[in-house]
Amino acid sequence: MKKTAVLIVLSVVAAGMLFLGGSRWQTRPLARPAAAPPAGPFAAAAQPLQFVENRGQADARARYILRGSGRTVYLTDNGLLFDFLRFRDPFPPKSQEIPAARPARRLVVGLDLVGSAPHPEMAAAAPRAARFHYLIGNDRSKWVTDVPAYGEVLYRDVYPAVDMRVYDDRGTVRYDFIVRPGGRVGDIRLAVRGAEELRLDEGRLVADTEFGDLAPVSY
């Protein structure tokens, strides 16, 4: 099925946007919530999330990167990119050797900030104690060490007098728009890439993907 980009225009007094179950991205029927959230790549992380600054260990378009629980989230100048990995088979029993490669499927969903500032200032806050080291290859000059991590990142003036805060909420990625005096909620426009189609389900907007339903929420 052809992938399409879908434009979502928010027109509420104050807006935030998250997906069904936050960034736990649980695949469950909207009309009949599951008694317990399923495990796997859609489950929330058990540990606090860490937004790691990109100092050359990843694609230069990513300013900060979050990895864990079967997904990677890239914070770019123009929005968020969610890269999910779902393994086709569970890990083998402990008595068996774990293979070097396991068959998996990927789902990449982009959340673009339409008409936003091309290069907004991004400021990290809530520093974590952990430091990360990327020792890739034999050339020590290309190693990246002592990279800091944070619990939230603020996009400043992503629209005029509008900031976007991306943060860890008890293991779930959330993002809020902060409209300051002089800002206009009508400037906030989001485009979803990677969804197969959009539909309404009991008054809620739902994006269909091969990994399940994603439901944007504004409040």
Side-chain angles (χ1 to χ4, degrees):
M1 185 176 294
K2 183 179 179 180
K3 306 295 184 182
T4 58
V6 184
L7 180 65
I8 301 173
V9 179
L10 299 182
S11 58
V12 290
V13 174
M17 191 168 179
L18 56 144
F19 289 91
L20 184 62
S23 286
R24 289 170 289 188
W25 297 68
Q26 298 169 354
T27 52
R28 63 176 187 263
L30 291 177
R32 301 192 306 276
F42 291 123
Q47 300 296 325
L49 303 179
Q50 310 203 63
F51 298 92
V52 180
E53 185 179 354
N54 185 9
R55 292 189 173 179
Q57 74 272 19
D59 189 299
R61 289 170 292 183
R63 304 275 294 276
Y64 292 86
I65 307 102
L66 179 151
R67 289 189 173 94
S69 297
R71 51 88 162 91
T72 302
V73 183
Y74 299 96
L75 279 63
T76 74
D77 285 345
N78 306 117
L80 309 179
L81 187 69
F82 298 85
D83 188 347
F84 290 97
L85 189 65
R86 172 181 282 180
F87 293 105
R88 295 177 182 173
D89 301 311
F91 278 115
K94 293 182 180 180
S95 60
Q96 299 181 18
E97 182 180 354
I98 297 177
R102 296 167 59 203
R105 294 161 53 204
R106 289 183 67 191
L107 170 67
V108 178
V109 178
L111 185 67
D112 297 338
L113 300 165
V114 179
S116 64
H119 302 290
E121 179 184 352
M122 296 174 67
R128 303 301 199 199
R131 289 292 186 272
F132 293 82
H133 308 276
Y134 301 87
L135 312 180
I136 303 173
N138 297 323
D139 186 351
R140 290 176 176 266
S141 66
K142 296 181 180 180
W143 290 1
V144 182
T145 62
D146 200 31
V147 182
Y150 304 89
E152 67 176 74
V153 176
L154 183 71
Y155 286 71
R156 292 178 174 166
D157 288 307
V158 66
Y159 296 102
V162 177
D163 300 333
M164 184 175 76
R165 176 179 174 240
V166 186
Y167 60 100
D168 168 30
D169 182 11
R170 294 172 293 182
T172 295
V173 179
R174 296 191 184 277
Y175 42 100
D176 298 336
F177 288 101
I178 303 167
V179 181
R180 305 195 311 274
R184 300 190 311 166
V185 173
D187 289 340
I188 302 171
R189 294 186 297 161
L190 306 175
V192 179
R193 289 180 291 119
E196 296 176 346
E197 65 175 332
L198 284 182
R199 58 184 170 83
L200 288 176
D201 191 302
E202 297 182 353
R204 287 181 291 186
L205 184 66
V206 177
D208 290 332
T209 77
E210 62 175 301
F211 276 21
D213 296 333
L214 310 179
V217 177
S218 61
Y219 60 92

